[in-house]
Amino acid sequence: MTDFILRGGEVVDGSGRPRFRADVAIAGDRIAAVGEVGKVAGAREIDVTGKIVAPGFIDVHTHDDRALLATPEMAMKASQGVTTVVVGNCGISLAPLALAEPPPPPLDLLGEAADYHYPRFADYLAALDRAPPALNAACLVGHSSLRVGAMRALDRPAEPAELALMQERLQEALDAGAIGLSSGLYYAPAAHAPAAEVEALAALLRPAGALYTTHMRDEGAHVTDSLEESFAVGRKAGVPVVISHHKTSGRENFGRTAETLPLIEAAMAGQQIGLDAYPYIASSTVLRPDRLAPATKVLVTWSKSVPAAAGRELSAIAGEWGIGEREAAERLQPAGAIYWMMDEADVQRVLRFPHTMIGSDGLPHDLHPHPRLWGAFPRVLGHYRRECALFSLEEAVRRMTGLPAARFGLTGRGSVQAGAAADITVFDPETIADRATFETPTLPAAGIEHVFVNGRPVWHDGRPGRECPGRALRRQQMQAARR
């Protein structure tokens, strides 16, 4: 029984090949046909003449772990054409962890202590099953979350018994359906973890067919050392590696992506390496008083002690208080911030690199979030594709669909072809654009016409649909589908 027919659009199928004119029929949760589709009794026809019919975008770098349950319509992502999110990045995941005390930064980017109530990874996936969100979710296990749950003190390497407990919990997560392990070695909960600790955990990934993603130890002066450490984890474990939000941070490191990208490309010749990036020169994370110097500007996104500071520049707050910026940052704790610390030429060089996937890295629980939360994917298709001409439309879509589906093992997604999952985005190639700004960061994008997840509409007429057809994408089920 055909449910929808998208009539008269141009299909960009996610492979990178040239677009072609075709109708697309949706039956249940699958694409039933791509080509000339005749009239079908009972099917709803949607005229998409002049529009692009593409696979739903895959946001490979998110912190949507709690948002999937707290805001199941996921408007900030559906409005961009995103149909699948990868959660648990940067070493932080809601599971497997149960907390009675406030989570240490950066775990507080996901929620409060009460939100960490999933002692097993299976418990978190079961919660997604019971209350499905609008979008699909593929879930990583966070190394920092494992550390916080297993260690008495975080300012040292794990002791043998603690490492064994982390391994036990990682194995449970992999058995439950996690797609891999993420690390955030830049952050305090994991900064004291030696490479050997990460390697001991990563050793569990290969038997499971899982991958390793990393927010590296350093993206500034020691960025090349951090790349080599990341590659080594993958080599020793025999697993794919994804470098998260690749950049070179701080004015003294502007231009160094001309050095790092060849290193990544050379490593790709001998092992499976991927990377993602977001299309902005500003990053966003916790407010760290010890990390202000490399930034040219800092904007507060949230503060527990001074909530009214959200959306204001740190320099202005410090000036009002008559103190230095570092002291102001300490007074605002715990807090989050946006840091201007990248060069536009580096951003464009990374985006132009043919192996780069797109990840928003948005923080949905910030009071005044980075605009990438609502604008990353349309910004690539509008500003960087249409205005800057970094790549063709077909190539931009491939980076958001077919490439990440292959890299993360998301079988049956990331393509418009008969038999594939009916995750589809319809957009106007001439008007698609991000509207979210640093001043007004939660404006939906322009040009996104229709979004389907598993064959059901989740965004149309500029607003969310009424259904939540998303699924927790378990690794074993996707591996079985490949066989």
Side-chain angles (χ1 to χ4, degrees), residues 42-68:
R44 178 185 169 189
E45 297 215 5
I46 302 175
D47 183 4
V48 294
T49 303
K51 306 302 189 292
I52 298 296
V53 180
F57 305 145
I58 299 168
D59 191 343
V60 299
H61 193 99
T62 85
H63 298 285
D64 294 337
D65 307 49
R66 188 173 79 91
L68 290 164

Side-chain angles (χ1 to χ4, degrees), residues 42-283:
R44 178 185 169 189
E45 297 215 5
I46 302 175
D47 183 4
V48 294
T49 303
K51 306 302 189 292
I52 298 296
V53 180
F57 305 145
I58 299 168
D59 191 343
V60 299
H61 193 99
T62 85
H63 298 285
D64 294 337
D65 307 49
R66 188 173 79 91
L68 290 164
L69 298 167
T71 56
E73 74 282 357
M74 292 295 289
M76 71 282 193
K77 296 298 173 66
S79 63
Q80 297 184 59
V82 170
T83 58
T84 297
V85 295
V86 177
V87 301
N89 283 283
C90 295
I92 54 176
S93 56
L94 278 187
L97 185 60
L99 292 177
E101 302 294 329
L107 274 68
D108 54 357
L109 293 176
L110 295 187
E112 311 288 343
D115 299 308
Y116 286 89
H117 59 90
Y118 303 104
R120 301 181 312 141
F121 209 81
D123 298 329
Y124 175 70
L125 295 178
L128 293 177
D129 291 341
R130 286 192 303 271
L135 309 187
N136 304 308
C139 307
L140 296 161
V141 188
H143 170 227
S144 292
S145 295
L146 291 172
R147 280 194 128 228
V148 169
M151 296 180 64
R152 298 186 302 276
L154 298 171
D155 59 349
R156 56 171 173 76
E159 296 173 354
E162 294 168 334
L163 180 56
L165 182 54
M166 284 192 275
Q167 290 173 318
E168 177 184 327
R169 289 175 175 168
L170 173 57
Q171 188 62 58
E172 181 276 326
L174 293 170
D175 292 344
I179 64 168
L181 172 72
S182 78
S183 69
L185 302 175
Y186 168 82
Y187 294 109
H192 293 276
E197 178 181 313
V198 180
E199 291 165 3
L201 293 168
L204 300 179
L205 301 177
R206 184 174 183 179
L211 81 166
Y212 171 63
T213 76
T214 180
H215 179 159
M216 301 189 306
R217 204 175 292 275
D218 190 273
E219 296 174 322
H222 302 289
V223 63
T224 57
D225 294 335
S226 292
L227 281 171
E228 293 297 343
E229 178 184 19
S230 304
F231 302 157
V233 171
R235 282 196 306 270
K236 292 178 182 179
V239 298
V241 175
V242 174
I243 306 300
S244 295
H245 43 58
H246 183 54
K247 65 177 84 68
T248 52
S249 295
R251 184 174 296 278
E252 67 278 11
N253 296 299
F254 285 3
R256 290 192 66 194
T257 57
E259 176 185 358
T260 61
L261 292 174
L263 287 176
I264 293 172
E265 190 163 33
M268 286 177 168
Q271 62 184 118
Q272 293 185 61
I273 303 289
L275 72 160
D276 64 70
Y278 48 80
Y280 298 86
I281 61 169
S283 63

